[in-house]
Amino acid sequence: MGDFDWSVIQRSWGYLFREGMTFTLTLTAMAAIGGTILGTLLAMMRLSSHKWLSLPATGYVNLMRSIPLLLVIFWFYFLVPYIGAWLTGSSTPVKVGAFASSFITFTLFEAAYYSEIMRAGIQSIPRGQIWAGYALGLDYWQTMKTIVLPQAFRNMLPILLTQTIILFQDTSLVYVLSITDFLGAASKVAQRDGRLVEMYVFAAVVYFVISFGLSLLVKRLQRKIAIIR
Amino acid sequence: MQFKHLSIALLLAAVAATPAVAQELTGTLKKIKESGTINIGQRDASIPFSYFAKDGADQSVGYAMDICAHIVDAIKAELKMPNLKVAYTTVTSATRIPLIANGTIDLECGSTTNNADRQKQVNYTNTYFVTANRYVAKKSSNIHSLADLKGKTVVSTAGTTNIKWLTEANTAQNLGMSIIPAKDHAEAFLMVETGRAVAFFMDDILLAGLVANSKAPADYEIGSEAYSVEPYGAMMPKDDVAFAKVANAATQKLYTSGEINALYDKWFLKPIPPRGITLNVPMSPMLKRVLANPTNSPDPAMYK
Amino acid sequence: MNYNWNWGIFWATSTDGVHTWFGLLLSGLAWTLFVSFCAAVIALVIGSIIGIIRTTPNKWLVGLGNAYVELFRNIPLLVQLFLWYFVLPEVVPKGLGDAIKAMSLPWASFVPAVIGLGLFTSARVAEQVRAGIQALPRGQRMAGTALGLTLPQVYRYVLLPMAYRIILPPLTSETMNLIKNSSVALTIGLIELTAAARAMQEFTFQVFEAFTAATIIYIVVNLIVVNVMRIVEKRTAVPGFIGPAVGGGGH
């Protein structure tokens, strides 16, 4: 089967990138931000001396880390409308769109992974700094906000970004819900035009170029941070 | 004189409208009224019922979509909301029933078989099409009956009545087939196209649509034997009498007025987008009977 | 909530008319474990080779090893599986391609799944092996050479026995990742645990029961693997050495 037609890429360019890649990148960026915020809160809860804070956070992180992302995607796709109904007090489940559903799923799932990174980051700050903060009369939140978190975040930035590259690749799994992310768009064109080889190879190249490019940037950043420290 | 007529008309209209307003809205109608939006579930590749006519379209077209447009109009009239917003969600065979059950969508307009099992989960509008479960295979693979498929790999779409029938028949008739569940019709057809599976079991009308749109329609053959009768209806939330009443009145009107014939011709006998292919499937006697006496019965015997 | 709970569904006969739904889930689990085990063997063998050549003095070998790792690490697993399943049979000679496609299920899905998962994971194992070897003091390598050992002998008798013992903890988490990642094989038709739960959901409409069961099974598997590996880790731990920290998470 040597008759490949690579012009299919050019013909579907707008659809692949304006529709598909936009969805993929928006989802990645929003879930990374949401996941980092929620992950940081979870890390703070886990490091708390209050059992009723640390136990649920530990349980949540361990649960999310023991089940496959695909199962989590299926879970939330059906569960989120019920959660929405519960939150809004509505008697019927609330409609949640494809994007919102994916955003919630990836934020909640990735938060578990980001929280592990942030926990290591927070623990990397010498305890003396925290005591110094308290000695200055700062309360817990002020100490965290002005002393601990900025440093933890800076120290962990390369690892957080590496996790975000993994998140970027993971968003391709929304394919199972027939959502038009980049891979979804590519496979729809592939199936419609019978151009599987061309579209899947092209998708692999695009994911590779973006992920590899980002990982090179992370490496440069890592060197810079190493100098600051 | 004219003024007087007008005021009487207004008065009558007001009187006529009062009971409807006074009557408390419930369930789906209430939800639609409050949110100002009706959520339609559509398919992406159920030709010619509900499918995307071009890349990047966010709204499907098709026979079922046209019928649902009539139902939406009836809901607009019922709720007196001419500006009711219509939101579209693309569903798959596997997600459509949970999404109706959990309220994500209010009306599913595609190619969904109405059967007794599913009626425990959802409700259906009047049947708008009757099809049968068959297979499509490449002519070159020389398949003429179910027995020829013994021990072979076949495919069907996950979450359909067809894969359920196939799984049951496989055991009951000891066929030893390997069954691949595909995510959607396009993926399933692709399995046959690329030789991953020998045959694809699906409703014959959908198979006809997929074959007509394929790269080489002449390569495929749809089996002659029909394995089951599949009446199609639009799905609605279960136990919602008020909503069902509006939807069924709208379809009944569509059928008895004969408008349905024009819709049928448009999608089954004339060229359809995107490539101007004609399916050329005349209306079956079964469907003619259903349109004359609208029903949402799940019983296959009702259609024979 | 208008959802009909039915926990008895697990003991009802499934659509295939033979097994119960619970039996179907267990058979899914068996495939999950089987595909993970085969992929782990591939990942360990190839990952070790690639990891080792990245620590050799030969520039070309190091470059080759690095390229391998970057290639398999920067393409999503799902896309890699599609390449093995859909693309490979079309780009090899027609006779071979047709033979691949004519394989019967579940092997037609199983083989590409094992290759795809195995190679994807091998890049991650390679990274651990490299880090493990590089975490050893340079003196060990030099001492080995000074004793007159050849380079392969230095690896065989000095570096690797130490390196494997200290990378055991990260390899445990790679094993867990592999088991979870094997669920992606459902996209190419393998009825592993997640796919079995999904099939149950589609046929019975009991969404939450099916997914709850699958979740519990994954947690149990997780606990077993972690505890078994912990025992192995304790037995093989090298006093004074802790595992290398390799940046980056994963699932």
Side-chain angles (χ1 to χ4, degrees):
Chain A
M1 203 177 141
D3 54 336
F4 297 130
D5 173 17
W6 296 95
S7 69
V8 64
I9 295 165
Q10 192 203 333
R11 273 184 278 131
S12 48
W13 192 268
Y15 177 56
L16 289 173
F17 286 92
R18 260 199 307 276
E19 290 266 327
M21 193 47 94
T22 307
F23 184 99
T24 297
L25 291 178
T26 318
L27 178 60
T28 306
M30 287 182 64
I33 295 168
T36 308
I37 295 171
L38 188 60
T40 306
L41 290 175
L42 280 168
M44 287 160 67
M45 281 171 73
R46 284 193 77 172
L47 294 170
S48 159
S49 49
H50 298 289
K51 274 234 153 54
W52 49 270
L53 277 177
S54 63
L55 280 182
T58 309
Y60 176 83
V61 171
N62 287 340
L63 173 69
M64 282 297 174
R65 285 164 55 92
S66 13
I67 57 177
L69 175 53
L70 265 187
L71 187 61
V72 179
I73 290 176
F74 289 141
W75 253 119
F76 280 105
Y77 191 60
F78 297 111
L79 189 64
V80 166
Y82 286 103
I83 299 176
W86 179 67
L87 287 178
T88 58
S90 155
S91 58
T92 49
V94 173
K95 178 201 148 95
V96 180
F99 183 81
S101 178
S102 323
F103 167 65
I104 294 168
T105 307
F106 278 91
T107 300
L108 293 179
F109 181 79
E110 294 294 334
Y113 289 84
Y114 284 118
S115 102
E116 287 293 273
I117 300 169
M118 285 311 288
R119 187 166 66 120
I122 294 172
Q123 283 177 323
S124 73
I125 309 300
R127 295 212 40 97
Q129 292 198 16
I130 301 170
W131 292 325
Y134 289 147
L136 285 172
L138 300 179
D139 63 21
Y140 173 78
W141 287 103
Q142 287 170 323
T143 312
M144 277 319 237
K145 210 180 91 185
T146 56
I147 300 175
V148 179
L149 289 183
Q151 295 186 74
F153 194 75
R154 198 194 62 203
N155 293 350
M156 290 295 135
L157 193 58
I159 305 180
L160 288 170
L161 290 175
T162 303
Q163 183 66 35
T164 306
I165 297 173
I166 294 172
L167 164 64
F168 166 70
Q169 295 185 21
D170 279 345
T171 57
S172 63
L173 292 176
V174 298
Y175 166 87
V176 296
L177 300 175
S178 286
I179 289 173
T180 310
D181 70 320
F182 180 68
L183 183 61
S187 62
K188 273 175 197 166
V189 174
Q191 292 171 1
R192 187 202 55 199
D193 293 359
R195 292 288 164 203
L196 280 149
V197 174
E198 295 88 337
M199 291 317 292
Y200 287 147
V201 169
F202 179 65
V205 169
V206 170
Y207 275 109
F208 178 82
V209 168
I210 295 177
S211 299
F212 184 60
L214 288 176
S215 74
L216 289 183
L217 285 178
V218 171
K219 271 192 194 126
R220 274 185 61 180
L221 185 76
Q222 213 156 11
R223 280 199 290 272
K224 268 194 177 165
I225 289 177
I227 295 166
I228 298 171
R229 268 204 274 183
Chain B
M1 191 67 180
Q2 257 184 350
F3 178 71
K4 198 176 165 192
H5 270 284
L6 186 66
S7 46
I8 288 170
L10 277 175
L11 192 70
L12 282 175
V15 169
T18 316
V21 174
Q23 197 181 14
E24 181 101 8
L25 282 173
T26 54
T28 312
L29 287 176
K30 184 177 170 212
K31 197 184 102 187
I32 294 171
K33 177 97 188 176
E34 282 168 359
S35 63
T37 310
I38 178 166
N39 293 303
I40 300 279
Q42 65 188 10
R43 300 299 298 271
D44 58 359
S46 285
I47 303 165
F49 296 93
S50 183
Y51 66 99
F52 291 140
K54 61 173 199 283
D55 284 343
D58 43 27
Q59 196 183 330
S60 293
V61 297
Y63 177 69
M65 294 303 285
D66 281 356
I67 291 172
C68 280
H70 278 87
I71 298 177
V72 169
D73 286 343
I75 292 167
K76 281 181 184 169
E78 175 77 16
L79 297 175
K80 301 189 180 49
M81 296 176 74
N83 298 322
L84 182 67
K85 258 180 50 196
V86 186
Y88 298 91
T89 302
T90 306
V91 300
T92 67
S93 296
T95 61
R96 57 192 170 180
I97 291 173
L99 291 181
I100 283 275
N102 77 16
T104 303
I105 52 176
D106 305 316
L107 190 66
E108 192 258 0
C109 314
S111 49
T112 304
T113 298
N114 177 350
N115 66 25
D117 223 16
R118 287 177 173 172
Q119 288 226 2
K120 289 180 202 150
Q121 304 284 328
V122 296
N123 195 3
Y124 285 84
T125 64
N126 287 323
T127 298
Y128 51 65
F129 196 81
V130 185
T131 178
N133 185 13
R134 290 175 211 262
Y135 65 80
V136 68
K138 277 191 178 158
K139 282 179 187 158
S140 58
S141 54
N142 245 337
I143 302 291
H144 302 292
S145 70
L146 211 51
D148 292 344
L149 288 166
K150 224 170 187 175
K152 298 252 165 58
T153 299
V154 298
V155 61
S156 188
T157 310
T160 58
T161 49
N162 312 74
I163 196 169
K164 190 158 185 255
W165 175 86
L166 188 60
T167 312
E168 285 162 356
N170 198 24
T171 314
Q173 303 183 33
N174 209 4
L175 293 169
M177 296 181 289
S178 303
I179 303 167
I180 307 180
K183 178 172 69 76
D184 48 34
H185 304 323
E187 190 181 279
F189 190 73
L190 184 82
M191 297 277 184
V192 176
E193 198 174 13
T194 57
R196 280 286 178 179
V198 179
F200 170 25
F201 282 81
M202 192 33 61
D203 300 339
D204 52 9
I205 184 66
L206 298 179
L207 293 180
L210 288 163
V211 169
N213 274 293
S214 70
K215 268 193 294 188
D219 287 0
Y220 301 94
E221 193 166 45
I222 295 175
S224 55
E225 196 183 341
Y227 302 110
S228 64
V229 175
E230 312 270 332
Y232 284 175
M235 285 194 290
M236 307 176 282
K238 196 175 168 264
D239 298 330
D240 194 331
V241 182
F243 188 66
K245 206 176 130 197
V246 179
N248 281 331
T251 43
Q252 177 124 23
K253 195 177 137 220
L254 189 65
Y255 298 173
T256 48
S257 68
E259 265 180 276
I260 190 75
N261 294 317
L263 277 187
Y264 189 94
D265 292 356
K266 174 178 163 194
W267 293 104
F268 294 94
L269 299 171
K270 289 182 183 157
I272 55 169
R275 288 191 239 167
I277 288 161
T278 307
L279 291 177
N280 222 346
V281 179
M283 197 182 279
S284 69
M286 282 194 281
L287 182 58
K288 277 182 188 155
R289 277 200 296 278
V290 175
L291 295 181
N293 296 300
T295 172
N296 73 344
S297 164
D299 182 8
M302 289 283 292
Y303 299 92
K304 280 180 178 155
Chain C
M1 271 202 349
N2 49 349
Y3 180 80
N4 304 317
W5 292 95
N6 176 12
W7 290 100
I9 190 75
F10 292 109
W11 313 114
T13 310
S14 74
T15 313
D16 70 11
V18 184
H19 304 96
T20 59
W21 287 112
F22 185 69
L24 188 80
L25 290 177
L26 286 189
S27 109
L29 171 64
W31 281 108
T32 290
L33 296 178
F34 189 36
V35 83
S36 303
F37 176 79
C38 296
V41 172
I42 292 184
L44 199 61
V45 172
I46 299 183
S48 296
I49 296 170
I50 301 290
I52 290 167
I53 66 170
R54 291 175 75 197
T55 61
T56 56
N58 186 321
K59 242 190 191 165
W60 289 101
L61 284 179
V62 173
L64 184 76
N66 289 347
Y68 179 93
V69 170
E70 294 301 343
L71 181 67
F72 284 98
R73 227 176 32 170
N74 286 309
I75 298 174
L77 175 60
L78 178 57
V79 178
Q80 293 192 29
L81 288 188
F82 282 178
L83 292 180
W84 293 111
Y85 185 73
F86 286 117
V87 175
L88 182 72
E90 309 294 339
V91 294
V92 295
K94 193 167 171 1
L96 182 60
D98 287 347
I100 293 174
K101 288 193 262 183
M103 264 196 292
S104 70
L105 274 182
W107 310 112
S109 303
F110 182 83
V111 174
V114 167
I115 298 174
L117 281 162
L119 296 187
F120 178 79
T121 311
S122 74
R124 308 177 61 95
V125 172
E127 192 66 355
Q128 304 292 357
V129 171
R130 179 192 62 83
I133 295 171
Q134 288 176 347
L136 298 173
R138 285 174 146 266
Q140 294 209 354
R141 182 188 291 255
M142 294 172 189
T145 328
L147 282 172
L149 298 178
T150 61
L151 192 63
Q153 284 173 328
V154 171
Y155 273 96
R156 168 69 186 81
Y157 297 108
V158 183
L159 300 178
L160 292 182
M162 286 294 282
Y164 278 116
R165 284 159 79 178
I166 61 176
I167 62 166
L168 210 54
L171 285 186
T172 305
S173 64
E174 286 308 331
T175 311
M176 290 314 310
N177 287 340
L178 176 57
I179 292 174
K180 286 184 283 169
N181 282 335
S182 68
S183 63
V184 180
L186 73 87
T187 55
I188 57 171
L190 188 73
I191 310 293
E192 44 65 70
L193 180 54
T194 303
R198 185 119 169 93
M200 177 175 168
Q201 168 248 313
E202 281 156 10
F203 286 125
T204 65
F205 313 111
Q206 302 297 336
V207 184
F208 298 125
E209 291 88 337
F211 292 161
T212 302
T215 302
I216 293 172
I217 296 175
Y218 276 112
I219 292 174
V220 170
V221 169
N222 202 334
L223 288 175
I224 293 173
V225 171
V226 167
N227 283 304
V228 168
M229 292 300 273
R230 196 166 287 164
I231 296 170
V232 179
E233 278 164 28
K234 266 199 189 130
R235 290 236 174 132
T236 59
V238 186
F241 272 102
I242 34 167
V246 175
H251 312 137

